Amino acid sequence: MEPGVGFGLRNVSSSCSISEMDDFDLSRLLDKPTLRIKRERSFDERSLSEASVGLSRGLDHFESAYSPGRSGFDSPASSTRNSFEPHPVVAEAWESLRRSLVHFRGQPVGTLAAVDHGSEEVLNYDQVFVRDFVPSALAFLMNGEPDVVKNFLLKTLQLQGWEKRIDRFKLGDGVMPASFKVLHDPERKKDTIVADFGESAIGRVAPVDSGFWWIILLRAYTKSTGDLTLAENPECQKGMRLILSLCLSEGFDTFPTLLCADGCSMIDRRMGVYGYPIEIQSLFFMALRCALVMLKPDGEGNEFIERIEKRLHALSYHLRSYFWLDFQQLNDIYRYKTEEYSHTAVNKFNVIPDSIPDWVFDFMPTRGGYFVGNVSPARMDFRWFALGNCIAILSCIATPEQASAIMDLFEARWEELVGEMPLKITYPCLEGHEWRITTGCDPKNTRWSYHNGGSWPVLLWMLTAACIKTGRPQIARKAIDLAESRLLKDGWPEYYDGKLGRYIGKQARKYQTWSIAGYLVAKMMLEDPSHLGMISLEEDKQMKPKLKRSTSWSCFS
């Protein structure tokens, strides 16, 4: 690419549309043939022992690495690829997924959030959302169709270069859009893109997770195709550095976790997850590890590599120590003293034992554990969040012992977390006065609905990946069987309501694309577990701290 030519040269307001965008850089990159070459040192050997499960590696090998003593599948991936009878739902799912494809100037660049022709209100479901497209992208990659993923990565990278303003305030350069919409003008034969960086969102919150998902998807594309040219392209390198500069900046915070507002992630409405939500911390951790293996060790790249390595060590220690909850840890918190001062304090965050909700004591099994929703001064959110815990397993925030404990919790609390439709986004729900205060009386987030304890089929792919990685494929198979019994018949809803997930969500869109794609990804991973490699990382032995029994918290052994 010529010096001075880049995606960031065109600065416009995020509320404006562009009908004649500078696409010559995009076209040049898209015209390059996909290279299928061996892994090079520049990509694989800079990681923290990053040797994720390769596409040619059998499940029997990685089961022994991840889950000693547990046997799931006992045959290599090559022999399991075609061992399943195709389910009739699969063909319907693929047809629906392809109907959701969005084209810009003749090339596919993403998938619509939903194609619900029965709904009178379109709202923003006719847009391409970054987080929503991830399962679609994985489905296309697993099916050997990487072009739409490459186009999406490049188009969103170009949108990152736009000047982003909300009212009179300018957002950081690295912010990725929450979504974008393609407008077609058949008379002028022109396509226009309009991007949303949060200025149109409910609550006007910028998406923190979009940049993390972009980096994670870039690695998934590279692992799947063997094409190193995209990640090593100067503009992709710049895009990663811009994202990282936002979240690695130094300030007043005394924790390595990332401070976030409510509504900045998949839980995009007020649900009391402000502070340090586990969902963002897990994605942050995974994005850092993915960026570490893709950043080129040049001048600027080296600086970020050093900063990432330092942050990863601190972040893994913090999350494993202070966010982890099991029976023993709960008992220790129950006996905490408060108002302790100095470095000798046992109760570092001054969590008041009386703030422990009653439901936790019954919910916590003797065997099992999970990463709690949030930890900050005088506040511990004991709620269980699905995405944060599944990504913790895939990114190796969770040690093998912790990952196994999370799976034990799934088995022990199946009715609460899975019920009749995988998977509860969070447990339990907020009710009564707590709901009114925490959600601001949000009529969509009533109890056991939407983000307040609703069941989201898209989470099926994350659960399946976590199950395969921990050697518990039987859990994933049981969950997929539940989904197959209803999803197609119900029209692929966005979410389900009720304590067991029995009812189609009261405001759920039908033919929700990520519900469709999540099922396909789960199905393909279970049939060919080698696909796990594009979305899972191996434990880094160098990063694993030698923890002693802490004087501040009773850490895992």
Side-chain angles (χ1 to χ4, degrees):
M1 186 170 289
E2 298 174 4
V5 176
F7 293 100
L9 295 179
R10 192 71 176 267
N11 288 328
V12 297
S13 171
S14 63
S15 61
C16 296
S17 63
I18 288 188
S19 59
E20 296 184 2
M21 301 175 69
D22 291 336
D23 278 340
F24 50 86
D25 292 318
L26 177 62
S27 301
R28 286 182 186 179
L29 289 172
L30 294 179
D31 288 340
K32 290 184 178 180
T34 298
L35 302 178
R36 296 185 179 276
I37 55 181
K38 293 182 179 179
R39 295 274 173 243
E40 295 179 356
R41 187 177 188 86
S42 61
F43 184 80
D44 268 0
E45 294 187 9
R46 290 198 312 275
S47 68
L48 299 174
S49 304
E50 204 276 345
S52 298
V53 182
L55 296 182
S56 62
R57 191 183 296 186
L59 182 60
D60 55 341
H61 180 81
F62 75 74
E63 276 188 348
S64 63
Y66 291 112
S67 187
R70 288 197 176 272
S71 60
F73 296 117
D74 55 5
S75 57
S78 58
S79 67
T80 63
R81 176 179 289 275
N82 298 312
S83 62
F84 288 67
E85 287 295 326
H87 196 282
V89 176
V90 172
E92 296 280 354
W94 272 113
E95 185 178 335
S96 297
L97 180 59
R98 295 192 192 285
R99 276 201 302 267
S100 72
L101 279 168
V102 174
H103 292 78
F104 179 77
R105 297 186 177 176
Q107 299 197 54
V109 292
T111 51
L112 296 175
V115 188
D116 187 357
H117 298 295
S119 176
E120 296 180 359
E121 287 185 306
V122 176
L123 298 178
N124 56 357
Y125 285 84
D126 62 345
Q127 298 185 24
V128 180
F129 280 81
V130 172
R131 73 173 70 99
D132 290 41
F133 180 67
V134 171
S136 296
L138 295 177
F140 285 120
L141 288 174
M142 291 178 185
N143 204 46
E145 302 177 60
D147 286 350
V148 61
V149 182
K150 185 174 186 177
N151 295 348
F152 170 86
L153 289 166
L154 289 169
K155 181 53 62 181
T156 47
L157 180 65
Q158 189 176 38
L159 296 175
Q160 183 195 40
W162 290 16
E163 184 180 68
K164 300 167 278 285
R165 287 185 181 275
I166 297 181
D167 293 332
R168 299 183 180 184
F169 184 70
K170 183 178 180 296
L171 277 67
D173 291 336
V175 174
M176 281 286 185
S179 63
F180 64 87
K181 184 175 182 177
V182 177
L183 303 176
H184 302 286
D185 186 344
E187 293 185 4
R188 301 174 62 191
K189 295 182 179 180
K190 288 186 178 181
D191 288 348
T192 303
I193 280 190
V194 179
D196 176 20
F197 293 90
E199 75 275 19
S200 299
I202 294 174
R204 301 301 187 266
V205 179
V208 174
D209 60 343
S210 287
F212 298 152
W213 279 123
W214 188 88
I215 292 174
I216 292 167
L217 187 56
L218 179 61
R219 176 194 173 270
Y221 170 87
T222 307
K223 289 288 288 185
S224 175
T225 64
D227 177 12
L228 306 182
T229 59
L230 183 61
E232 293 182 349
N233 176 271
E235 294 304 328
C236 281
Q237 292 286 310
K238 177 184 176 183
M240 281 190 285
R241 292 195 301 267
L242 286 174
I243 295 168
L244 294 169
S245 66
L246 281 178
C247 55
L248 292 175
S249 58
E250 297 174 344
F252 289 98
D253 214 326
T254 57
F255 313 131
T257 40
L258 190 63
L259 185 62
C260 298
D262 248 328
C264 66
S265 61
M266 178 182 174
I267 298 176
D268 57 9
R269 295 167 83 100
R270 184 176 169 187
M271 272 291 290
V273 297
Y274 62 89
Y276 307 90
I278 187 60
E279 177 169 318
I280 290 297
Q281 310 316 317
S282 293
L283 290 173
F284 178 33
F285 184 89
M286 190 164 192
L288 289 179
R289 290 200 64 193
C290 290
L292 191 63
V293 301
M294 293 188 293
L295 284 170
K296 298 176 74 171
D298 51 21
E300 285 187 279
N302 262 331
E303 177 190 344
F304 278 98
I305 288 170
E306 291 177 6
R307 291 169 68 184
I308 289 172
E309 288 176 341
K310 291 178 181 177
R311 190 64 167 262
L312 281 172
H313 281 270
L315 187 59
S316 62
Y317 178 87
H318 186 90
L319 293 172
R320 290 170 178 176
S321 302
Y322 304 131
F323 275 68
W324 181 250
L325 188 71
D326 55 21
F327 183 83
Q328 181 60 51
Q329 186 79 322
L330 179 60
N331 201 72
D332 290 345
I333 298 171
Y334 177 67
R335 291 167 50 82
Y336 271 163
K337 294 179 180 179
T338 59
E339 304 300 323
E340 294 179 303
Y341 181 73
S342 91
H343 64 277
T344 60
V346 173
N347 184 2
K348 277 190 177 182
F349 295 95
N350 199 36
V351 175
I352 312 300
D354 286 346
S355 70
I356 303 175
D358 291 339
W359 66 264
V360 178
F361 296 103
D362 294 328
F363 179 74
M364 180 62 70
T366 305
R367 283 188 58 204
Y370 64 102
F371 290 95
V372 297
N374 220 317
V375 177
S376 56
R379 177 178 181 242
M380 178 175 279
D381 185 347
F382 290 89
R383 285 177 294 176
W384 177 91
F385 289 86
L387 190 152
N389 276 274
C390 288
I391 296 296
I393 292 175
L394 297 177
S395 65
C396 287
I397 290 174
T399 65
E401 296 79 12
Q402 289 174 330
S404 183
I406 293 171
M407 288 296 113
D408 288 338
L409 183 75
F410 269 116
E411 293 186 314
R413 297 291 176 257
W414 183 264
E415 289 298 306
E416 292 91 337
L417 302 181
V418 180
E420 296 186 23
M421 176 53 66
L423 177 66
K424 281 274 177 266
I425 190 170
T426 182
Y427 182 88
C429 71
L430 302 173
E431 301 181 78
H433 180 70
E434 187 181 18
W435 166 78
R436 286 190 289 272
I437 296 299
T438 304
T439 73
C441 297
D442 188 345
K444 195 168 185 177
N445 269 337
T446 54
R447 63 177 189 166
W448 305 117
S449 181
Y450 201 51
H451 295 315
N452 190 14
S455 297
W456 291 71
V458 64
L459 297 169
L460 185 63
W461 79 261
M462 297 183 205
L463 173 62
T464 300
C467 289
I468 295 172
K469 182 167 184 176
T470 54
R472 311 274 189 103
Q474 69 280 2
I475 297 179
R477 188 175 290 113
K478 184 178 178 182
I480 290 173
D481 287 344
L482 281 174
E484 284 179 335
S485 69
R486 293 195 59 187
L487 278 179
L488 177 59
K489 180 179 65 177
D490 293 342
W492 304 100
E494 179 184 16
Y495 63 93
Y496 285 77
D497 284 353
K499 201 167 186 178
L500 296 177
R502 296 180 65 190
Y503 306 99
I504 297 173
K506 59 186 176 183
Q507 295 187 43
R509 288 299 189 278
K510 297 289 187 73
Y511 292 92
Q512 187 79 14
T513 303
W514 69 353
S515 295
I516 297 165
Y519 163 73
L520 286 172
V521 172
K523 191 75 171 175
M524 285 189 282
M525 269 196 293
L526 194 59
E527 293 181 1
D528 184 356
S530 65
H531 287 313
L532 180 67
M534 70 176 73
I535 200 64
S536 174
L537 303 171
E538 275 194 357
E539 185 182 14
D540 171 41
K541 304 299 182 183
Q542 298 176 28
M543 191 169 58
K544 189 173 182 179
K546 295 181 179 178
L547 292 178
K548 297 180 180 179
R549 185 65 67 172
S550 175
T551 58
S552 57
W553 284 52
S554 180
C555 299
F556 60 91
S557 58

